[in-house]
Amino acid sequence: MIGDMDVTLHLAQDPEADELLGRSPLAALVGMLLDQQVPMEWAFKGPRTIADRLGASDLDAHDIAAQDPDAFAALLSEKPAVHRYPGSMAKRIQQLCQYLVEHYDGEAELVWKGVDDGRELLRRLEELPGFGKQKAQIFLALLGKQLGVRPKGWQEAAGAYGEPKSFRSVADITGPESLTKVRAHKQEMKAAAKAAKAAGKS
C-alpha cells in the first residue's frame, strides 16, 4: 500500500481501476507513465487492464520485467488497446519494471519510502525510465497531495504542480468536477502554446 494506507483515487473515473491505483504503488507509476497523448482516464485505467489480462489482482514488477517483449506488446495491443501506442508503451513499462527490479528490488514504493527530502525524491523519480522532469514533478505532487507522501520541501520540488488547488495536473483530480477544471487548464495551455507559435511565425 502507498504510505501504509489505502487511498481512493479518482484518476480513471472507474471504480475498479481507481481502487488498484490507490493500493498499488506500481499501478500508480505505470498509470503516470501511460499519461501522455491519450485522455487521462484512459491512461490511468491501463494498469487495471494490464493486471486483468495477466490474470493478476495487482501488477508485479518482477513478472512484467520477465515477460516476453512481443507477448507483452500483444497483450497491450488487444482491443481495447491500453494506449494509442501500445507497442512502444509496452516497451517503456517493461523498462520501468526492469529498472525497479534492478534498483529497488521490484518494490515501487521504495522509490519514495523513507525519503525525507523533496529534491531527492524528485531526482529519484526523474531517474525512472519514461519520466522526464514534468512527469516526475506531477507524480511528486500526486504523492504529496493525495497519497500522504510529504518529504521536506516536496511542494517546492513539485513546482507549480505542488501549489494547493492549482488544477494543473492529475495531482489535483479528486472527482469529476476537478477533472473538468484540470482539462480546461490543459486546453488553455494548448491554446496559449498554439497562439505563441502563430505569433512567432508572423
Side-chain angles (χ1 to χ4, degrees):
M1 284 180 202
I2 301 182
D4 298 324
M5 60 185 183
D6 214 345
V7 184
T8 304
L9 293 175
H10 299 278
L11 304 179
Q13 307 282 306
D14 170 285
E16 289 184 0
D18 281 327
E19 184 272 332
L20 178 62
L21 294 170
R23 70 177 159 85
S24 166
L26 180 56
L29 274 180
V30 169
M32 190 74 233
L33 183 67
L34 290 167
D35 185 22
Q36 55 192 57
Q37 297 170 306
V38 295
M40 286 174 278
E41 305 94 304
W42 184 2
F44 283 96
K45 210 172 174 172
R48 181 76 205 206
T49 305
I50 295 167
D52 288 347
R53 289 178 186 175
L54 287 169
S57 62
D58 193 359
L59 298 182
D60 180 303
H62 291 274
D63 177 39
I64 292 173
Q67 292 277 330
D68 172 76
D70 293 337
F72 190 63
L75 185 99
L76 267 72
S77 304
E78 274 174 39
K79 299 253 182 295
V82 166
H83 194 274
R84 185 176 290 157
Y85 304 107
S88 60
M89 278 302 168
K91 194 180 287 178
R92 283 191 184 182
I93 292 169
Q94 282 199 291
Q95 285 168 344
L96 174 66
C97 290
Q98 284 155 358
Y99 182 90
L100 291 171
V101 166
E102 217 172 290
H103 297 269
Y104 296 102
D105 201 23
E107 298 293 332
E109 76 174 317
L110 292 182
V111 175
W112 54 85
K113 203 172 181 182
V115 179
D116 52 16
D117 179 76
R119 278 177 312 201
E120 166 64 12
L121 179 49
L122 181 65
R123 186 187 67 74
R124 285 177 168 216
L125 290 168
E126 283 186 68
E127 284 176 350
L128 297 174
F131 277 68
K133 181 164 189 182
Q134 186 186 30
K135 202 177 271 291
Q137 284 188 315
I138 291 172
F139 195 78
L140 177 54
L142 178 67
L143 285 172
K145 288 180 175 183
Q146 296 199 46
L147 302 172
V149 178
R150 301 183 179 112
K152 191 175 82 240
W154 72 270
Q155 283 179 293
E156 290 76 10
Y161 301 108
E163 292 166 12
K165 296 197 180 345
S166 56
F167 297 111
R168 289 172 186 272
S169 71
V170 297
D172 292 295
I173 294 173
T174 51
E177 196 186 324
S178 44
L179 173 67
T180 306
K181 287 183 184 175
V182 171
R183 187 157 278 146
H185 174 79
K186 286 195 164 187
Q187 280 163 351
E188 275 169 33
M189 298 301 283
K190 257 189 194 154
K194 215 174 184 176
K197 205 174 177 185
K201 280 181 182 163
S202 57

